[in-house]
Amino acid sequence: MDNLNHNDNNNTKNSGRALSGFIIAIIGIALLLNNLHLDIPGWILSWSNFLILLGVFIGVRRNFKGIAWLILILIGVYNTLDNMNLDFDPSKYALGFGLVIIGGFLIFRPKDSDLFGKRRKDRKKAKFDFEGTADDHTANTNDIIDVTAIFGGSTQTVYSKNFKGGDIMAIFGGADIVMTQADFPETVSLDVTAVFGGIKLIVPQNWAIKSNVTALFGSVEDKRSHLMPVSEMTKTLILDGTALFGGIEIKSF
């Protein structure tokens, strides 16, 4: 069972890196095409298509759990159609089509499963925040955390004494994870993704931080003061993922 969980975590990390690289490559291609002054319609390189890519990115990363990815895609598609200057006004049909699609998604999607019919086994209590002003504060006692904050904020406290890491994603939002009460044997990994958003990790002083995060116009900062000598750090938190126009901050109380 431990080997299966280890393989699942490795697959998640690899897919996360590949998808993050895909998004970065798409942005690079868009910048290159824009600077080449080719006769490309403006709507192709618009921010709305970037929202569509983000929606696909989040959907694939999370096995299409939740509905945040779908809303991002719908917003992007609506604005792309509006920018295409078509012969009809998409605003007349956007609300109706949007509600039908979201309603159908909620009706026909199997309960407690992803779109491929697989049961959720490892990751529980996923938080999908899509409110720009609301801030969520919950305590997560599970061994694996799974947090997504989109256009909003999420704050969670981890109390597990057998912490096994998890996945944290902040897209145009923020996620604060308090892990001062958490514990694990020696090493644990977190997959973190910050895109135009921020992730704050509050950890004990005796945790060593090893960052494998790819930062593109972003940063990973350990702002803890009075760090203990390395020889006295008995735990290691490994960070994998991407900071794209976003930041990941490590602090202690």
Side-chain angles (χ1 to χ4, degrees):
M1 183 64 68
D2 291 337
N3 289 333
L4 289 176
N5 290 335
H6 179 72
N7 290 335
D8 288 342
N9 288 335
N10 285 337
N11 290 335
T12 299
K13 293 174 188 176
N14 292 334
S15 64
R17 291 172 184 170
L19 287 168
S20 299
F22 175 75
I23 295 293
I24 293 171
I26 290 296
I27 294 174
I29 291 172
L31 292 174
L32 286 173
L33 292 176
N34 185 56
N35 291 328
L36 288 173
H37 303 292
L38 300 176
D39 188 18
I40 299 175
W43 60 268
I44 292 180
L45 304 178
S46 64
W47 66 270
S48 56
N49 283 334
F50 180 70
L51 287 183
I52 296 174
L53 286 174
L54 275 181
V56 174
F57 170 80
I58 295 170
V60 174
R61 278 291 306 276
R62 309 188 71 83
N63 292 327
F64 298 97
K65 294 187 295 183
I67 199 171
W69 63 271
L70 179 59
I71 295 177
L72 276 177
I73 292 175
L74 290 176
I75 293 174
V77 169
Y78 167 75
N79 284 280
T80 295
L81 291 174
D82 189 48
N83 292 333
M84 291 174 68
N85 297 320
L86 301 175
D87 293 334
F88 70 95
D89 183 4
S91 63
K92 295 181 179 179
Y93 312 99
L95 181 60
F97 273 116
L99 292 178
V100 168
I101 293 172
I102 293 174
F105 173 82
L106 295 175
I107 292 171
F108 294 107
R109 183 182 178 190
K111 185 178 181 181
D112 293 329
S113 65
D114 58 33
L115 289 185
F116 301 102
K118 298 177 182 177
R119 299 287 297 178
R120 298 178 188 175
K121 295 181 180 179
D122 296 324
R123 300 193 175 181
K124 301 177 182 179
K125 288 205 173 188
K127 301 300 296 180
F128 294 95
D129 300 291
F130 218 95
E131 299 178 6
T133 57
D135 185 68
D136 170 71
H137 186 95
T138 60
N140 188 342
T141 58
N142 296 306
D143 293 338
I144 299 176
I145 62 173
D146 193 352
V147 179
T148 296
I150 302 176
F151 294 115
S154 179
T155 300
Q156 293 199 25
T157 302
V158 181
Y159 293 104
S160 172
K161 301 304 179 182
N162 188 31
F163 184 50
K164 296 180 180 178
D167 193 317
I168 304 169
M169 183 180 294
I171 310 291
F172 294 100
D176 292 357
I177 310 299
V178 182
M179 294 182 285
T180 54
Q181 303 298 316
D183 197 10
F184 52 90
E186 293 181 359
T187 303
V188 72
S189 297
L190 273 178
D191 195 276
V192 291
T193 302
V195 180
F196 294 98
I199 297 174
K200 182 187 294 183
L201 305 175
I202 302 176
V203 304
Q205 290 281 355
N206 66 336
W207 285 16
I209 305 296
K210 180 181 178 181
S211 175
N212 299 323
V213 175
T214 300
L216 181 62
F217 300 104
S219 63
V220 180
E221 299 180 88
D222 191 342
K223 294 187 175 181
R224 292 177 294 171
S225 59
H226 308 296
L227 287 177
M228 301 175 62
V230 175
S231 59
E232 298 181 16
M233 292 184 176
T234 58
K235 315 287 182 180
T236 301
L237 176 65
I238 301 174
L239 301 179
D240 292 287
T242 303
L244 177 62
F245 295 98
I248 298 167
E249 184 179 290
I250 299 99
K251 301 185 71 174
S252 290
F253 285 131

